[in-house]
Amino acid sequence: MAETKKLVEAKAEDKAAAPAAEKKTAAKKPAAKKTAAPKKAAEKKTTAKAAASENVYVEYLGAQITSQDLIKKAKSASGVKSPKVVNVYVKPEDNMVYFVVDNNAGSFPLVD
C-alpha cells in the first residue's frame, strides 16, 4: 500500500508540473512572432528602393530616350486606349522602333 500511495503522489506531482510547463512554452511563442514582423517590413523597404532606381536608356546619334518613353510612344502610335500587352523592339542600326500593342503592329523612328 505504501508503494501505491507513493505512485499516486508522484502522478499528482507530474500533473501539477505539466500545466506549469505548458505556461512556459506558451509564453515563448508570442516572442517569436514579434521578431518576425520587423524583418518583413525591412524586406519591403529594400524591395521598394531597388524598384525605384531601375532605368533603361537608349543612346543613339546624340539622342537619349528611356524605355518608358518608347512604351508611351508605342501606345500612342497604336491607337489602343487601354492595351493589355505592349512589346517594343529597338533596332538602332536601322534607326527604328518596332512595336506590337494588342496585336496591332507598327513602327516609328528612334531619332527624328
Side-chain angles (χ1 to χ4, degrees):
M1 270 205 197
E3 291 177 19
T4 309
K5 190 174 183 182
K6 287 180 184 178
L7 287 173
V8 171
E9 289 175 359
K11 287 182 182 180
E13 287 176 3
D14 288 342
K15 287 181 182 179
E22 288 177 16
K23 288 179 185 177
K24 288 180 183 177
T25 57
K28 291 181 182 178
K29 288 181 182 179
K33 289 180 183 178
K34 289 180 184 177
T35 58
K39 288 181 183 178
K40 289 181 182 178
E43 289 173 5
K44 288 180 183 178
K45 289 179 184 176
T46 305
T47 306
K49 287 181 183 178
S53 65
E54 294 176 350
N55 294 305
V56 176
Y57 296 94
V58 177
E59 294 182 343
Y60 183 70
L61 296 176
Q64 184 183 55
I65 190 165
T66 64
S67 58
Q68 292 90 358
D69 291 339
L70 291 170
I71 292 169
K72 285 179 189 176
K73 281 186 176 183
K75 286 179 182 178
S76 67
S78 71
V80 178
K81 296 192 186 239
S82 299
K84 294 180 182 176
V85 178
V86 178
N87 293 317
V88 177
Y89 307 91
V90 180
K91 197 168 180 185
E93 63 269 16
D94 294 340
N95 190 33
M96 291 300 291
V97 177
Y98 301 95
F99 62 86
V100 179
V101 178
D102 289 344
N103 295 323
N104 295 322
S107 63
F108 57 88
L110 179 61
V111 178
D112 293 324

